[in-house]
Every structure is written in C-alpha cells, then in structure tokens.
Amino acid sequence: MKLGFVSAILPELSLPEVARFAAEAGYTCVELMCWPVSKADRRYAGVTHVDVTNFTRAQADHVREVLAEAGVELSGLGYYPNPLTPDRDEAQKCIKHLQKVIRAAPLLGCDRVNTFIGRDWTKSVDDNWPQFRKVWKPLIGLAEQQGVKIGIENCPMSFTRDEWPGGKNLATSPAIWRRMFHDIPSANFGLNFDPSHFVWQQMDYLKPLREFRERLFHVHAKDVRIDRHRLDDVGILATPLEYHVPKLPGLGDVDWGRLFSVLGDTGYDGPVCVEVEDRAFEGSLASRQAALHQSATYLRNFVAG
Amino acid sequence: MKLGFVSAILPELSLPEVARFAAEAGYTCVELMCWPVSKADRRYAGVTHVDVTNFTRAQADHVREVLAEAGVELSGLGYYPNPLTPDRDEAQKCIKHLQKVIRAAPLLGCDRVNTFIGRDWTKSVDDNWPQFRKVWKPLIGLAEQQGVKIGIENCPMSFTRDEWPGGKNLATSPAIWRRMFHDIPSANFGLNFDPSHFVWQQMDYLKPLREFRERLFHVHAKDVRIDRHRLDDVGILATPLEYHVPKLPGLGDVDWGRLFSVLGDTGYDGPVCVEVEDRAFEGSLASRQAALHQSATYLRNFVAG
Amino acid sequence: MKLGFVSAILPELSLPEVARFAAEAGYTCVELMCWPVSKADRRYAGVTHVDVTNFTRAQADHVREVLAEAGVELSGLGYYPNPLTPDRDEAQKCIKHLQKVIRAAPLLGCDRVNTFIGRDWTKSVDDNWPQFRKVWKPLIGLAEQQGVKIGIENCPMSFTRDEWPGGKNLATSPAIWRRMFHDIPSANFGLNFDPSHFVWQQMDYLKPLREFRERLFHVHAKDVRIDRHRLDDVGILATPLEYHVPKLPGLGDVDWGRLFSVLGDTGYDGPVCVEVEDRAFEGSLASRQAALHQSATYLRNFVAG
Amino acid sequence: MKLGFVSAILPELSLPEVARFAAEAGYTCVELMCWPVSKADRRYAGVTHVDVTNFTRAQADHVREVLAEAGVELSGLGYYPNPLTPDRDEAQKCIKHLQKVIRAAPLLGCDRVNTFIGRDWTKSVDDNWPQFRKVWKPLIGLAEQQGVKIGIENCPMSFTRDEWPGGKNLATSPAIWRRMFHDIPSANFGLNFDPSHFVWQQMDYLKPLREFRERLFHVHAKDVRIDRHRLDDVGILATPLEYHVPKLPGLGDVDWGRLFSVLGDTGYDGPVCVEVEDRAFEGSLASRQAALHQSATYLRNFVAG
Amino acid sequence: MKLGFVSAILPELSLPEVARFAAEAGYTCVELMCWPVSKADRRYAGVTHVDVTNFTRAQADHVREVLAEAGVELSGLGYYPNPLTPDRDEAQKCIKHLQKVIRAAPLLGCDRVNTFIGRDWTKSVDDNWPQFRKVWKPLIGLAEQQGVKIGIENCPMSFTRDEWPGGKNLATSPAIWRRMFHDIPSANFGLNFDPSHFVWQQMDYLKPLREFRERLFHVHAKDVRIDRHRLDDVGILATPLEYHVPKLPGLGDVDWGRLFSVLGDTGYDGPVCVEVEDRAFEGSLASRQAALHQSATYLRNFVAG
Amino acid sequence: MKLGFVSAILPELSLPEVARFAAEAGYTCVELMCWPVSKADRRYAGVTHVDVTNFTRAQADHVREVLAEAGVELSGLGYYPNPLTPDRDEAQKCIKHLQKVIRAAPLLGCDRVNTFIGRDWTKSVDDNWPQFRKVWKPLIGLAEQQGVKIGIENCPMSFTRDEWPGGKNLATSPAIWRRMFHDIPSANFGLNFDPSHFVWQQMDYLKPLREFRERLFHVHAKDVRIDRHRLDDVGILATPLEYHVPKLPGLGDVDWGRLFSVLGDTGYDGPVCVEVEDRAFEGSLASRQAALHQSATYLRNFVAG
C-alpha cells in the first residue's frame, strides 16, 4: 500500500509546496483536490490544487513534472460535491465539473477519481433512487470510456442540523452499496473507503472489506472518537457531531492494526490517504502539518514504508 | 414496586377478563388503555378498556369494583396519540381526548396518565418546539388542576419508513427531557420510563434514573434485541426496525437485574408494567397470555412479589 | 415451545414414573430413550424407556396411554449410537436398531427421531464422507417413507482420549451441516440443536439458528462452562473435557435469554429438552431429579409455561 | 445445597416466627443470630434469636423443636464481633461470648459457628498478627474439642470513616487466609464465604472456591453493585461505601450462575444463606420479608429446591 | 503539545548532558529537578539539576543558555516533597525550599512549578484539611505574586507499607481536587496530571480532563500495568505495589491514543513529560536512556513532533 | 532486549546481504537458518544461511566477520525439523543434522540453538512420550556438553490436513512443557517462545512468561489474527488455518505492549526475532523486506533501540 494524504488540508500551499511537503513528511502519494476555483461553502471543500476547468495537456504535464520532481505519486483526483442536490442548476454544475475531473485524470496518468453520490437530504433513500440512476448511469459510462475508476466515499455527509435528516451522500452502508452496484453494474464503479464513518454508524468496518474487495479503489485514513457521555445524553437520533469527534488516525476508535490486517489479506495494494479533519489540529498551517507528520509516524506502524 | 402489564396486548378481552387474568398470572396492577372507540391505525393502538368519552362517576365506580374484585390495582391510564401531528384537526381530537383521560383519572382514584408528547415527524426538534409549548402548557395545567401526573413515555415512535425521519414523539433523550421540564416546570410533568428505547439509541439506561428520579411516575418493562449482523449492514441511519427487535423482558439486551438495582436505590416504588410487543408471541391470544406468564416469572426474580 | 427433558438421566425409573415425574416437575414433554436392552458402554447411553426391538401397536398404545395419563407429550425418540463406527458389524447393528426406532415413531404418533451421524474417529471428515453417504441415504429414505424427521444432534462426541482425534459424530459445525444437507437433500433430515457444543468449539450458537431455521426439529438444553485457567494451561489441542465442564442450564456460558430470543424469532415452536450431564448433580436419583427441578425453574424464565 | 437466610434481618420476629416465615418463603434452613442480649452498636448487629448466655439443654431442645416443627434446619450459629478490638476488656467479652456460642452449637445438633477474626483497625495486618495468634489458637482449640467448624466471614468490616483505615476483620483475602490456615492448621478453621466482598475489592470470587474447597463451611448470598460514576470520582482510596452499594442477589455485580456452577463442582453441599443489607428494602418488616421472598425466587434458579 | 521528560531519571548526568541527550533523543523540553542538594530519601527523589538554594540571575542565565544551546525548552521545575509531613521541622524545610523553587522559576523564564500537596499519612483526608489550608494559602499567594502556576501531581504517594495507610499526597482524586480548588480559589493552582495513578485507583482518567481543563498546567506520561493474578489474591486493601507495576508509556494499561485524543480536544497545548519509573529499565544509565528513546518513539505516534 | 529477524524469509539473499539488510532496517541481530542444503519440503523450511554440514573454524570465523562487519549479532541458529517423525530414517537424519547445528554454535560464539521437539502426528502425546525421552535425552546431553541452550519453539506445527490430527511438534502448551522439563531436567533445555501460537489455541500468552521465566532462551515475534466469521462456521475441531491467519506484529491479536511489559518484568534481556509468515507480504523479495521494515517500526514502540 501507498501512504498519502488528502490535499484539502493544505489550502494555502501551492501544488509544488504540497508535493515537497508530502515527500519530506514521508508520504509517497497525495490525493489532489479539484474543486472549481471559487469560495468554499463548507469546511474542507473548495480547495483547488489542480484546476481542471479548461484543462490542457500542457497543464497536465506540468502537474506530472511537479509530482515527479518531488518523488510523489498522484493517488487520485478528489472532488466531493452533491450531484443530487434538489437545486437542479447547482446539481448540473456539479455534474459538469465532475465530468471535467474524470476527463482530466487520464491526462495526468491517473485512473482514480474520488467523489460523492450526493443526495437530496430532505428525501428518503428510496425517493432519491430514480434521480441517482438518472445522474450516475451516464457518469459511470463516461468513466468507463475514459478508463477511470470512480471511488465513492462512504461518508454520510450528515453531521449537523444543516444536513438533517438524510445527509448529502447516499453511499453510507453495505446495504446501499449492493443496490448501487446492482443497478449500475460497472467495474469502474467502486469505493473510496473510509472506516471512520462506520464507527459512528455503529457498524463493523472490517466485514465489508471482504465482501467489497473488488470495489476498493481508494482508502481514506481518518479516525473518530465516540464520546459516550454525550451519546448517553442525546442518543443516535441527534445529529452525529453532537456525540462524536473526527480525529487523526490513532486518536480515535478505529483499530488500525486490524484494519490493515484485513485490508492486506483482501489483496488491496492501493493508496491510503490521511484525511485531516481534527479540530484540535486546525489552528494554523503549522499544526495541520504537524498532524500530517504525526499521522505518518503512526500509520507507518502498519503500512510498509 | 408493583408488577403489572399494559392492557393493549389483550384487546379481545373485556375489562373483567383482563383483571381476572392479571390476578391469576401474578400481576398486582394493570395499565388500562383509553383510546377513543374506533379502528386502530397502528399496532398496539386503538384499544379501549376504559371508554372515557362520556365518563360518569357510575362508570368509574364500576371500573373500580371490577378491579377491586379481582384484587388488582390500576397503575395508570394509557393513551398514546400524536398531539403534535401536522394535521391540526387530528391533533385537536387527540388533545380533546387526552383532556378526557386526564379528567377520568381522579374519578378512578388514580393519579397517573401515560402518553406521548407527539411530534411533527417531518420537522426537527427545534422546529417542533413552539408547538410543543403551545399544546402542552395548558395540558399540564389541566393535569395540575386534576391532581394528575402525566408520564411521558420515552419512545421515539420512529421504527419504519412511515415515521421517517423524526418519529412521532419528541421525548426521546435526557437532553430533550431537560428542555421539556425547564420550559414547563411542573411537578406533574414526568416520565413513563421504558429502558428498551435507550438500548437501540445506543444509550445508557441507568444513568438517567439517577438524574430524573423525581420525574419517574411509571415504568414500562419491555426489552429489545439489537441484531449486530443487520446493524453492520445498514447502520444507524436506517430505520430502527431494520436492525432491532422488540422482545419480552429477559429475551433482549436490557440487564434487568441492574435496572431494578438502580431503580430501587432511587427510591422508586411505583408500577412496572410489562409491555408486550414481541412478534414471536403475537400469533394468538393464548400466546400473548403465555408471554405475560413468562414475563411475570422472569421479572419476579427482581421485583418482590 | 414445549419444555421437556431427555429420559436418559432417570434410568432407574420406569416409563410411568418418568412421565409422572415430568408432570410434577412442570415439564410438558419428554424425549424417551430407545437403546436396545443391554449394558451401556458409555455414560448416558444404554437407557431403554421404550423398547422398540419387536415393537407392536399394542406396546405403542400402552406408551401413548401412559403419557396421556400423566398429561405429558412425547417430544421425540432418542437413540444416539455410532452408525459409522469402523467395526462394521457393530455399525450394522446400530443401523438396524435405528431403523426400528424410525418405524416405531409413527406408531407412537410421533414424527421425531433424534440420533448421531456417527464417525470413524480415526479418520478425517473427508475420509468419512463416502461411508456417510452410503449409510445415510437409505436411512433418510426410510424416514421420508415413515413421515419421520431425523434430528441429528450437533455433539462432536469427542471429550476424552477414547474418542481422539476425530470424535464419534460428524455433524459438528454449520460448514459440515451444509455439506450433509447438500448431499442428502431431504426435508426430513435436520437437527437436534444443542447450543452447548458450540460454546467449547468457540463458535457463535445464535448465527446458525437463522440459517438453519428450516432444519430445527428438536432442541437440547444443556450448558457448559469453559474453565479459563485450564484452557490457558492445555489449549484447544487437548481433549475437550480437560478444559470444560457440562452443566445445567444457567450454570454455564450459554446466554439462554438470547438463545430463546433468537429461537423464538425464527418461528421455532417445538420441544426444548433439558439434557442433564452435570456431574455435580449425579450423586443420586434425588439429586438428578433436583437438577431437573432447578432447570425447569430456570428455563421457565424464557419458555412460556 | 440448602437455601437459607441470616436471621439478623428479622429482629422483631421471635424464633418461631422466623422459622415459620422461612418455611413459607421456601427456605430450608436459617442461620440464627446469637448476640448477647443488649443494644446493637451497628446495623445488623445485636440480634438475638438464640440466647446462649446461660444455655441449657432444655433451651437447646426447645430451639430444636421449634425448627423441627417448621421443617427448617439450622445452618449455623452467627455472632460477628471484633475479638481483636484494641479495647481489651471489650475483646475479652467478645471472646467469652464466642466461647459460649461454640459450646451451644453441639447442644443444638449443629457443627457450624460463623464469626469474624476481628482486627485493631488502626494497625496493619502484620501488626495485628501476634494478637491474632494469641486469641485464635485457643478458640480453634475449643472448637476442635466441641466438634465445631468455625466459619470466618471474609468481610473486611471496612465501609465508612469509622473503620478507617484497616477495618475490623483481618480475613479479607486469599493471601491472608493462607497465612491464617498456615499458622493455625486445624480442619475446624475455615470460611463463611461471601462473594460480594470480593467484588468491591476488585477480586475474582471464583478462583478461591477451588483453592479453599476444604475450607468452605458456610456461604452467604449477598450482592453488591459498584457505581462507576462514584468510583471514577473518589477512587479506591476512598472508604468503600462511597462507591459501592450492598444489594439483594441478582441486583448486583455477582454472576450467580457462575458462582453456583463452580461451587457445585467443588463438591460444596452445605448451606447458602441470604444476607439482606440492601437499603432499598429496609423500610419496614414487610419490605425486608419481600426481599427474602424475591431472593428465594432468584436463587432457586441456581439452587435445586 | 511538547514532548519532554522528567530529569530525575538521569541523576548522574550534568545539566548540559541532560539537555543534549534530550535533543538527541527527540525531546523538545525537559522538567528539571530542583531538590535541595543532599542524599535522597526515596527513589527518584533528591535529584538536583538546578540548585535553587541561593539562586542568582547569573545562575539562571547560565541554565537558560545551556538549554538554548541544546535547543530544548524548560517544561517546568520539579520538586516533590511532603510539606504536610507530621514532622513540622521537616515540613518547614520543604516549604522554605518550595518557596525558593517558586521564586527561581521567573528568573528562568518559566511559569510552571510541579510538586505535591503532601499529607500526614497517619490521618484521614478530613483530619489533614486544616493543615492543608494553613500551609497552601500562602504558597499559592506567593505563586500568584511570582506569576507561577503550581501543578500538583495527582500521585497518592502510597505504594508500600511505609506510606500506609494514607499516602503522602492529598491530591489523589477529582473529588479532592474540587475541594482544594474551592478552598483556595486561585487561577495559579492546578494540576500536573499523571493518568497512571488513576489506573490503579480503578478510575476513568479521561473524564477529569474535561472537567479540569482549566487546571491542566503540566502532564506526566507514565504508565502502569495492573496484574490481575496479584490483585485477585490480595485485593485493593493491600498496598498498591503488591498488585501493580509502573511501566513505560505503551507497556501498561493507559490507552494513550484516547488520552491524547481527549487532551487535544480540551485545548491543552503544554508539555507532556515522560516519567520513567519502570524497574525493568533501571539497571544502568544506558538502559534508562534506552527507556527514554523507546518512550519518545512510542509517544510520537500521538504527539506531533 | 535485541530486535532481530528469522533469516528464513530472505532465502534469495546471501549471508552478507542478509546482514547488511538487517543493519539498514534497524535490526541488531538475526537468527540464521541452518537447514541441510536441499530442496525445502514446506514453506519457510530448507533455507541455509549457515551450512553446518562440514563446519570448520574457518567457515565459522568467516560468518563472524560478515556479521561483525555489518554490526549485527547472531541471535541463534535455527533448524526446525521433525526428529520424532515416524519415518525413522528421516528422523535419524534430522537428529544427526541437529547435532551438527549444536556443535556449530560454540564455533560461532553463540550459545543458542532453536528447534522443534517433533512428533509422530498420528499418535497422541502419551504415545509419543517414550520416543521423546529416547531421542531428546542424548540431544540435551550434547547441548550441555557444548554449552548450548536449546530453545524449543512452541509451534504445534498443525495447520492443515497434512499434519492432522496431532501436528509435528509436541511442545505446544505449559502442561506439556512441565512434563518435558520434569523428565529431562537440564538448565540447557528451554523455549523459543512465540506468543502467536497461544492466540489460536485460545490460551493466555502472558501467564507462562512468569512460570517459565528461567526457560526463556529466545523469543519469536509473530502475530496471528483469528477470523471470527470462519471460526463460527468451522469451530476449533477444524484444522487451524481454516480460521486463523499468520500476520506481521501489530496486524493480529497479540497485545504487544502487554507482552513486552511482562517480558521485561521477568528480566528477559535476550533476542526478539520477527518471523514473517504473512501471505499478504509474500509476493516478492521487496514486499518481504517491506514487511521487515514495517515490523521494526512497529516493535520499536516497545523494544528500546
């Protein structure tokens, strides 16, 4: 496996700076953020380390050079919008930009794009389903044509009152994954697996690794800590951030030794990218970089360097 | 404490039959259902063992005689509608009938009425709050005037897609209880505590017994079993009946010895009524009666006879 | 479900005495032992409460009268030999007698016969398989013809050096059950499920209840306690009785509330028979009867009376 | 085993009333309190159901008749003073009275006397040891001569500030028992084993049953519940009642199924006497009697009737 | 947070040697021992890396230079005597020297002094309280005047018979901390938090981090292992070293990931100093230095470098 | 302790290459494989980094130089055949070669040889015992004479059908160790302790460290993961590889912090050699080397560098 990180945590660094930092901190790959250039509408969104809007082969070659110079690989392109948002204009913009990201990948010599399914958060899973099929069949078709694997992150995007009740991403559970992969049966449609979301959903994050081994395209290394005293007070019907906290790997409830143990046995040999969303490390660029240093130290216990 | 059961499980028995069965099966009290006479719109609802619609002292005296003859006490009157349903006509009917139940209690020599707060299930807790205050201040005022304690059951009334996303009862957690009792500060406003709902909400059901000891008016003895293999598949974002099953006391995840241990230490000395909602025992009247026999045998291990 | 016991524990009592004791102790059924009349060659074997050797309708009617008089049902006939023993003469005797037991059942108005598959304990499962198919296809054929369900107990019959290494019964695990039921696909071929053997095999005894719900013909209620200090010293490669002890229900590691909880949900409504093999209660007839009294008291917490 | 209770909980009942109640409540034996007639100086002390001060054969015969009439056996005589108290006059009085209890036992056809070793609570175990040897050698000598087994209860007698720091009974742990039995090596010197004191001392209460099986003369069935929220706040250096609560069997942290499982395997066949010290049941004679009813119901799951 | 160690473990090294070793081993700060120059009266005491007896600005500047040269910060000054010892002359000497340490801190550009409250170990907490108030009010007053934060370590100083029964430091639990901070309400009075002492006191070491977040001035990283087989034998009434062992971080029962997870969330950003008291590493200077190397490697998994 | 690895995992590297790699990867010792030069008959067997067949002092000096040059120590010589195999010719060859390994050790300045007892896997432990005594008395005699300590690895050599039922090494449990050391009472007869085999045998791997502290000559660091879903299906009567997987340290069920904690307390100060048998890392030399890098990183958290 290859250890990397998600570039969203270093928005003030340029691409060459990100690449150099990755190499110095002992990472061998990086997932580069490809949001359209604009103001972010939520934390960790809106970062643009590769601007794919009018992407040329020259620009692509430049990115490849920068990474090659630093000795760091591209684990995948990342863009995590809500293509099923009820605002259909907004949804259309997301879809268009996602198409550009998919087309940019092969120019960069990369076959992985990571994103969300999206969801109309005011509706049930069933009621979102027709729109899911309508939007995603052509997207996966495009990915097949471009030789790109789409890794859907299993984040419910449901943390506070703003996303209540349904969250902004359908792909939250093995039960739903089965339905997705059944309805759009493509070998280019898979997962960007993040164990932390299974923790607060009270689910086993090891079991699905076996069933979905063929679908594991990318892995995010994020941790969460469930705070029992809060959960005892508000219960699972509260919004999730009322009782759990995103943390760096090793500071939460994920058993990373066991995770990498089963992951290795499934034959997974792709990127594992640290995703920093730990508020205790958000104070400054320096502390976010310290977070990446510490995460590399910790994960090197389980991922061969 | 006094062991009883909720009469909703024996809809085909008349009040005298219910009372006699209770005595024979070793129960010393019973919570009698007071739905308006009509067709039930959900399971366990719509049962009428005391019809309070035009309740007279004579009717009340008759009920008292029937119970006295069988040697069984009345633990409380039960009516569990949704007084905050968005259909305001329907809500008004519920409120009116609830007022009748509250007025009937003193005629029966009983000071406990059990019910739900209700909820517009399409809205968040906050968005329900103004209506909660508007509806419940006068209801609690009436209860005070009648010398009646209102025990709100802590059931989220959120089990399947029909109640998605919010469920039909606001009173689901200690955090919300605090808010309720703060906004309507009356000694007649309390709880009909059911530990089973805390289990599937992943909460500690012992801790609140201490904090809310003054609010414990009535207790329901129901159990639930969480099925890990299902929860692992669908997660807590699924509707609750997708991963847990209501069961008789002793057949689920509640630790009854510990529950009664702490309950006794708080000084609680009121009724504990078995609420049967175990589908494995729903096949016939005989099997529902067997369920009540078995529950009495089990709970007598922890409740002095 | 119906609570009963296995008659092998009361060898000195006659059938009418067994039946009367069952009724007095609160049991509603009994599994009657049908060994050929002879000297037992192991503990709990060789008991004959119904002698099927030359079984006549008159004898059958007498048994039925005796049980009817006591008000006790017949849960099944029990005969647990080793039909795959390497001594082929001995094996042939077992098979012949088992055929008689199968033929006796319908005369007794009973459709359940409980037994073992048997095993050549010096050979692996695979090396026993051809003989299994050869012996059992005709036996199950006979059972189908007689309208009898064969309940195979999942006891490994491997406790001490005498049965080392393979034990005397193949039907030890879900993996092997699947193979058995695949190779002899008959609705009359099923299980006499005993959770205690799963405990010392370090297996989940709840999971198979769901997968094999159609195969549950009979249930034995026996418990075992694993002694950690012994297991720590000898490990699982020792013979099983070096680190675990058969016990009465409630005195071992089976979680009976959970067992009956899942069993009820599968729809199982047949007999549950206590099998006493607890040496702490073997000193005298009186203490074995006390064991049955205590077991009934304990299990009534979970099985409706 | 024989189920009984400690008579100290029923001080207002006369001996015949105690015996009759025992029989009605399903107990088959009783441990009778033999304090000198006087005012009690602590809860549960000072009760006199048999006054041994000037005990005659006639008195003894009367006690035996009363018990025989009720059909209840005498499990042992109980007197729990502090024979090592630093007030040497007081100690002498205790020793003298204990001698009378020992001499009374054979007159009652009983060979068990239960008591404490005592302790000067201001001194360490080592500093108490010389006095222990001096006081107890002759006492055990007397017991041998009278054919009486002395069962020392393993209660630390250390609950509140009054007994700080050392408590009033040395016999608190297997390490100390070994030392006691080594220094006074008599087959008449053993234990009145109470598992509850091991729980709050954070010790395994099953392990010693095996090592000290020859020393088990009598068993007390009391339970305790450790309250984690209190222990987290004050730690084990606080006095024990700051973080744990004595409870009825089944309402605390003792696993009674496992206790009786191992106890039975050791061959123990003597009395098991419920000791009620649960404040939730102390309000009245009726509630203490209810406590004994409930305890019998619970323990009958594990002790054959 | 800044990773450091307590200099007491390197008594044979001079201050410049300590500083250089710290830097080489990857530590960024160090807590320097300030005992009066003399013979130590217990292990880990009596070490003098900064002699504050007649401390001059020149001496202070020298210390600052030495540390600056090595690139290591001063986490705090450490002096851990018993200012409440019953020998009042001895106590007076401790207090006097502690005043010198407090006055030395600002000269060193350091605002943290770590110490013990002390205790007359023959008396209860309550009986120590008047002396606590008398001694500590002026000490905290001095600290306020000097701008120094006093971090009281929560070590009970109760390990063997010598400190029986009360130990030599009152500040053992949150319950006592509340009382301390209530009676001397100063923002300069806080904690040098060591999780290991909570482990053997059977307490939750995470809960207090939240309540006392404003009081966290300094953190010690020490681990302990509870040995169940010993605890089972002697119980919590034994002296603590009879059943637990101080160990390096990662070799005991503290969950360091969780500790740093919650510590980070409280906003703590101060020093975390390894305190080596693991006898398995005490054989030589080399092995104590190896212990510090290993601890740094381990803790870097959780503390950003 | 000294961190090393077992050279069997690098069969394609020459001795100097092995030594250099060890040093580069941060290891300070290595266990060198001494199989006779031939084709391996099982995985991880048959590797020859030191050929002892006709071993001369010159050859020995060359090995010592190579190791000294790389700065790596020799932890021991390893040869793991089956000296009790029922094929007596084969057994004789094993014994002869083992004698050569024992004689080679002192020439290499090394006093440790690691091996297996062996076993006729078709026979019980008891039936192997006479041959064990016959073969091993002289071998241990030779070891004594050569000043060599024989470390027997506690591997059952029982993983698949090929070794069914008994495995190929008797030394599997503390119970058997006691018997071995009792029958051949030599201070040169001890253990090469590997905790992983205790895990799948469901045994405590810490307890024996205390009892057998004098017998700990060498330690292997290998991990295993038990797969519950497989164990639930096949049970412990299946062959072990049907339900467990050998893994790198940190990727299995061994608690390494606790292992090294207790190991350190026993005074063990010898080699700890990583044994790589993790199929997820077997694809290439590079991935096996990556496995050794990762294992060193992980174990350095617990073993001082």
Side-chain angles (χ1 to χ4, degrees), chain B residues 225-227 229 245 247 250-251 253 278 280-281 290-291 294 297-298 301, chain C residues 210 255-258 260-265 297 300-305:
Chain B
R225 193 187 72 231
I226 291 181
D227 283 332
H229 66 293
V245 191
K247 297 300 295 175
L251 300 184
D253 294 345
D278 187 333
F281 287 86
Q294 177 175 322
T297 299
Y298 182 75
N301 287 303
Chain C
R210 295 185 181 99
D255 181 335
W256 292 95
R258 223 162 158 83
F260 282 107
S261 181
V262 176
L263 201 54
D265 288 359
T297 300
R300 279 297 173 211
N301 288 306
F302 311 113
V303 187

Side-chain angles (χ1 to χ4, degrees), chain A residues 225-227 229 245 247 250-251 253 278 280-281 290-291 294 297-298 301, chain E residues 210 255-258 260-265 297 300-305:
Chain A
R225 193 187 71 231
I226 292 181
D227 284 332
H229 65 293
V245 191
K247 298 300 295 175
L251 299 185
D253 295 344
D278 187 334
F281 287 86
Q294 177 176 322
T297 300
Y298 181 76
N301 289 306
Chain E
R210 295 185 179 99
D255 181 333
W256 292 95
R258 227 165 154 80
F260 282 108
S261 180
V262 175
L263 201 54
D265 287 359
T297 299
R300 280 297 173 213
N301 289 305
F302 312 112
V303 188

